[in-house]
Amino acid sequence: MARRLRNALLVAVALLWLLPTYLVVVNAFTAADEYVGPRWWFTSFALAENISTAFATADIGQAMWNTFLYSAGSALIAVVVAALASFAVVIMPVRRPVLWFWLIYAGTLLPLQVFLSPLFNAYAATSLYDTQYGMVLIYSALAVPFAFFVVRNYLTTAPKEMREAAQLDGAGWFTMFLRIHLPLARGAMVAAFLFQFLATWNDLLFGITLSTSPNVRPLMAALAELNGQYSGLGPPVILAAGLVASIPTVVLFLSFQRFFVNALRLTP
C-alpha cells in the first residue's frame, strides 16, 4: 500500500512538472496570426515558421553561439582553477586550509545582485563592457567557488597514502597533481563543469547588465529582448525561441545525468 501511494505521488509530481512544458510545446506550435490565447491542444503546426521568425528578428543563432562560448569557456576555466585551488588546500601542506576554503567558497554566499552595481561601474570604466572576453571573465569568476566546493570535497576522500607514496618516489607537487590527483578528480571536475555550463547558459542577470550588442549578447538576454522590444510578434514566436534555447541543456543533462548524481553524492 505504501509503495502504491509513493508511486502515485511521484506520478502526480511528474505530471505537475510536465504540465508547463506541455503548454509551452503546444503554444509554440501555434501560428502567430491564429493565437488568441493559451491553447491546450495542437491546432496548427507552425513551429518551424515561429523559430525562423525568432532567429531572423532577434538573431537567436548568434546569441546561442555567444552563450555556448561563455558557458564552455567559463566552465572550463573555473574547473581548472578550482582543481588547482583544491589540490593546494587539501593535498599541499598550506597553513589554515579551512580559512582558505571559506575565503574561496564565500563567493557563493552573497546574492548575485550585490555584484551588479560595482561590476557595471568597473566594466564601464574599462574596455570590458560589452565584450566577449569580459563576459567570459565574469562568468568564470562566478563559477570558481562552486566548482572548488565540488572538487575539494572529492579530494578530501583521496587516501593520504597516495601522496606519501608519490613523495617517496620523488614526485613533486606538479607531478602529483597532473598524474595522480587530476585523473582521480576527473568525475568531480566533469560534474562541476556541467553544473557551471548550465548555470551560465541560463543566466539573464549579467547578460542584460554587461552586454548590449547582438554579437556579444547571450541567449537569455536575446530572449528577453524578443519578449520586450519584439513582443508584437506574438507569444508563439517567443515560446518557440525558448523551446529551442532549452534543447541543449536538456540534451546535456540527459546525456551526463550520472555525473550530476555523483556530484550530489559528493556534496554534503
Side-chain angles (χ1 to χ4, degrees):
M1 183 65 180
R3 184 176 181 180
R4 292 181 179 179
L5 289 175
R6 183 190 61 185
N7 293 339
L9 179 61
L10 291 175
V11 170
V13 172
L15 292 176
L16 183 64
W17 278 100
L18 287 175
L19 181 60
T21 304
Y22 169 77
L23 290 175
V24 168
V25 173
V26 169
N27 288 275
F29 272 84
T30 304
D33 55 355
E34 298 178 3
Y35 185 85
V36 293
R39 304 291 181 89
W40 286 87
W41 190 248
F42 296 94
T43 58
S44 57
F45 297 90
L47 179 63
E49 298 175 7
N50 294 333
I51 293 175
S52 177
T53 302
F55 271 67
T57 304
D59 204 2
I60 299 297
Q62 178 64 43
M64 291 187 70
W65 167 249
N66 294 338
T67 304
F68 176 80
L69 175 65
Y70 304 151
S71 301
S74 62
L76 180 61
I77 293 172
V79 166
V80 172
V81 173
L84 290 168
S86 301
F87 180 81
V89 171
V90 177
I91 306 301
M92 297 179 68
V94 297
R95 298 178 61 184
R96 300 183 178 88
V98 176
L99 175 61
W100 284 109
F101 166 76
W102 283 109
L103 283 176
I104 299 173
Y105 184 65
T108 63
L109 303 180
L110 296 174
L112 296 180
Q113 290 81 356
V114 173
F115 305 112
L116 286 181
S117 179
L119 271 175
F120 178 80
N121 293 330
Y123 269 51
T126 62
S127 59
L128 294 175
Y129 182 76
D130 198 28
T131 60
Q132 290 184 333
Y133 55 85
M135 299 300 295
V136 172
L137 178 63
I138 184 57
Y139 285 133
S140 300
L142 292 173
V144 166
F146 182 78
F148 168 75
F149 178 68
V150 174
V151 179
R152 178 257 182 192
N153 282 353
Y154 183 82
L155 286 183
T156 56
T157 64
K160 295 182 180 180
E161 290 78 10
M162 290 192 307
R163 179 186 65 185
E164 296 171 354
Q167 289 176 330
L168 289 175
D169 290 339
W173 295 117
F174 188 71
T175 301
M176 291 171 58
F177 173 74
L178 284 182
R179 296 188 177 182
I180 300 176
H181 293 88
L182 191 63
L184 285 176
R186 182 174 54 188
M189 293 174 65
V190 171
F193 177 89
L194 294 174
F195 272 113
Q196 300 310 320
F197 184 97
L198 296 179
T200 303
W201 186 278
N202 293 319
D203 174 73
L204 171 64
L205 191 62
F206 293 97
I208 62 177
T209 304
L210 303 178
S211 66
T212 56
S213 304
N215 62 330
V216 177
R217 179 183 56 195
L219 180 57
M220 295 303 157
L223 292 179
E225 183 178 4
L226 188 64
N227 190 34
Q229 183 177 351
Y230 303 106
S231 59
L233 295 174
V237 175
I238 302 170
L239 293 174
L243 196 62
V244 172
S246 65
I247 291 176
T249 59
V250 173
V251 172
L252 192 67
F253 178 80
L254 294 178
S255 301
F256 298 96
Q257 56 182 320
R258 68 184 183 92
F259 290 103
F260 286 96
V261 175
N262 291 337
L264 292 176
R265 291 174 179 172
L266 294 173
T267 54

